[in-house]
Amino acid sequence: MSINATLIGQMITFALLVWFTMKYIWPPLFDSLEERKKKIADGLAAAEKGQESIVLAEKKAKQVLKEAKEQSSEIVSLAQKRANEIVEESKHTAKQEGERLIISAKAQVEQEIQQAKEGLRKEISTLAIAAAQQILGAEIDKAKHQDILNKVSNQLG
Amino acid sequence: MATEAHAAEGATGYIIHHLTSLRVGEGFWSLHLDTLFFSALLGGLFIWFFKNAAEKATAGVPGLMQNFAEMIIEFVDQQVKDSFHGHSKLIAPLALTIFCWVFLWNFMDMFPVDILPGIAGLMGIEYLRVVPSTDLNATFAMSISVFCLIIFYSIKIKGPIGFAKELMFQPFGPWLTPFNLLLKVVEEIAKPISLALRLFGNLYAGELIFILIALLPWYVQPLLSFPWAVFHILIITLQAFIFMVLTIVYLSMAHEDH
């Protein structure tokens, strides 16, 4: 039970143990603990971030979809409008074309009438002369009565 | 073995034999070889285990060994953080060393009382005390080391004058300086003594009860030694824990500047 030099030996052993623990055991183990803690925290943070970005991406996708829908409906309505316009335009052109055709047809008819009139006039004057020749016989000289003939044909025209 | 060898001396002889250290030298300059050997061996075991764990330490998935080491480290670190609010590189490794070493000392108590002395007896060693914490030298060596650290840090943190002031003027003010000084000195001296005697007393008593149980007829022994051993598992851990926590508390008191 006596206290003796063992005490000193034990103190030296103790000091050595504490020194060794302080130098070679505690720091690496504690550091690895801390590092793992940090790793886990980082991992959790990254997971959270990932989740957040998924939500964000979903939101964005929804928005893009919505925009696309809007755009397509806009395009469709624009196309409809354009089609209507084209129809209207073609209607208008057709009408104009029709009018033009009518006008040109009328002009042709007029011209033909004129030509017919001219033809008739010439024929009538020839017929009239022939008739007069038959009626008047030799008495009437063509050269003497040219004035009268001209007057008649002028009156016919 | 030992029982037979000393049967002639009776129960008293058996007990005394078990409580006698393997000793060389005379007077103060004698050594308890068994205490020195076993505590060094256990210290080596502690160092070997933790050194292995520290070398393989990774921040990735820990192995079984590293896991166990980290469990103890985290436990000790938690205790240090709870009680000690300063910043010190020494205190946590110190606490770890104290906890593990004292626990291993105490654990020697779990070996049947006759096994190791019996083997030693076969090898021609007459006396052997296997539990270092039943040797006052071992417990006092540790508590005196802690005491030195307390004094060292008190002076380092508070300064020689600050520490002297604390000794003289607290708790009753400068008018009662001699009384304060007496009180404070007793308080400081009580720390290592209580630390060492608490551990020694608990383990010495526990070992003694094991020895007494070993004296009983063999058919009674398991009935008593089994419950006592189970209870002792609690005691050896608790004593190691108390020694560690009180060390941390004392050192944190030394670090507190009033």
Side-chain angles (χ1 to χ4, degrees):
Chain A
M1 217 56 53
S2 55
I3 297 285
N4 55 30
T6 312
L7 185 81
I8 296 162
Q10 287 291 104
M11 278 170 86
I12 293 167
T13 314
F14 182 54
L16 283 175
L17 282 180
V18 171
W19 169 77
F20 194 87
T21 310
M22 197 166 84
K23 188 118 193 188
Y24 297 110
I25 288 173
W26 187 271
L29 276 171
F30 195 71
D31 286 353
S32 81
L33 271 177
E34 288 294 303
E35 207 181 320
R36 180 156 348 109
K37 240 184 233 170
K38 200 176 158 275
K39 252 189 182 173
I40 289 171
D42 285 355
L44 285 177
E48 209 164 293
K49 220 172 157 188
Q51 216 127 25
E52 251 170 45
S53 72
I54 284 175
V55 171
L56 222 71
E58 262 173 16
K59 230 183 201 173
K60 208 177 169 187
K62 261 185 194 165
Q63 206 183 340
V64 166
L65 216 68
K66 201 177 147 199
E67 265 172 26
K69 265 184 189 164
E70 269 172 15
Q71 224 162 12
S72 71
S73 73
E74 207 173 298
I75 287 169
V76 166
S77 73
L78 218 70
Q80 252 165 358
K81 206 174 149 198
R82 181 85 189 110
N84 281 346
E85 269 177 15
I86 288 169
V87 167
E88 283 300 313
E89 223 173 288
S90 56
K91 264 186 193 167
H92 188 70
T93 327
K95 211 174 162 189
Q96 269 183 341
E97 184 72 17
E99 271 169 12
R100 209 176 51 78
L101 280 173
I102 287 169
I103 286 166
S104 77
K106 269 183 184 166
Q108 218 170 346
V109 168
E110 196 80 14
Q111 207 183 350
E112 265 167 30
I113 287 171
Q114 286 297 332
Q115 267 176 356
K117 268 183 182 169
E118 192 82 12
L120 276 174
R121 197 165 55 202
K122 275 179 187 161
E123 226 162 300
I124 281 172
S125 65
T126 323
L127 275 173
I129 289 162
Q133 269 173 344
Q134 296 231 329
I135 296 163
L136 299 170
E139 260 183 74
I140 294 163
D141 191 2
K142 214 178 180 178
K144 259 186 181 168
H145 303 291
Q146 190 67 42
D147 285 348
I148 297 159
L149 283 172
N150 278 350
K151 264 181 201 166
V152 170
S153 85
N154 272 348
Q155 264 172 349
L156 279 169
Chain B
M1 273 298 147
T3 319
E4 283 163 27
H6 295 268
E9 296 166 31
T12 317
Y14 177 74
I15 294 170
I16 288 172
H17 173 258
H18 268 282
L19 293 177
T20 308
S21 291
L22 180 65
R23 189 170 172 167
V24 291
E26 282 302 318
F28 178 76
W29 292 109
S30 56
L31 291 171
H32 290 167
L33 288 183
D34 44 6
T35 301
L36 286 171
F37 172 73
F38 280 110
S39 56
L41 184 77
L42 295 167
L45 189 71
F46 156 69
I47 290 290
W48 171 79
F49 177 79
F50 275 88
K51 182 71 187 144
N52 263 356
E55 268 168 7
K56 288 176 196 150
T58 60
V61 181
L64 193 68
M65 201 183 202
Q66 194 191 343
N67 219 339
F68 185 64
E70 279 176 2
M71 200 177 80
I72 297 170
I73 293 244
E74 262 196 329
F75 167 71
V76 171
D77 188 53
Q78 194 56 48
Q79 297 304 325
V80 172
K81 273 184 187 148
D82 283 349
S83 325
F84 183 74
H85 303 295
H87 200 80
S88 169
K89 272 190 169 174
L90 172 78
I91 192 155
L94 177 76
L96 176 71
T97 311
I98 287 177
F99 180 68
C100 293
W101 207 25
V102 171
F103 176 79
L104 288 171
W105 282 356
N106 295 351
F107 190 81
M108 293 306 286
D109 216 2
M110 304 303 286
F111 287 106
V113 284
D114 276 327
I115 278 197
L116 291 172
I119 293 169
L122 284 180
M123 283 155 55
I125 298 165
E126 202 183 343
Y127 297 107
L128 192 72
R129 265 170 72 185
V130 296
V131 190
S133 34
T134 58
D135 188 342
L136 270 177
N137 288 303
T139 60
F140 264 112
M142 199 177 255
S143 70
I144 288 171
S145 303
V146 170
F147 179 68
C148 291
L149 284 174
I150 293 171
I151 300 298
F152 173 72
Y153 278 111
S154 291
I155 292 171
K156 190 185 165 196
I157 301 292
K158 296 162 188 168
I161 295 165
F163 185 48
K165 264 188 187 167
E166 193 185 297
L167 285 182
M168 286 190 285
F169 300 153
Q170 279 178 13
F172 295 122
W175 296 108
L176 285 166
T177 296
F179 187 58
N180 286 339
L181 191 63
L182 184 72
L183 217 65
K184 274 282 176 187
V185 167
V186 168
E187 188 189 320
E188 293 298 321
I189 300 286
K191 284 173 184 174
I193 291 177
S194 68
L195 268 181
L197 287 184
R198 181 183 303 108
L199 179 61
F200 167 76
N202 272 281
L203 270 291
Y204 190 80
E207 177 78 348
L208 198 63
I209 286 173
F210 274 126
I211 294 168
L212 289 177
I213 290 169
L215 282 170
L216 294 169
W218 63 269
Y219 46 87
V220 192
Q221 283 185 23
L223 233 69
L224 291 170
S225 64
F226 176 70
W228 182 242
V230 171
F231 182 55
H232 219 61
I233 293 172
L234 179 71
I235 289 180
I236 61 176
T237 321
L238 192 68
Q239 287 305 320
F241 178 70
I242 288 171
F243 206 113
M244 176 189 78
V245 167
L246 284 180
T247 303
I248 298 169
V249 169
Y250 290 157
L251 283 177
S252 80
M253 278 160 73
H255 276 77
E256 265 161 30
D257 207 347
H258 292 287

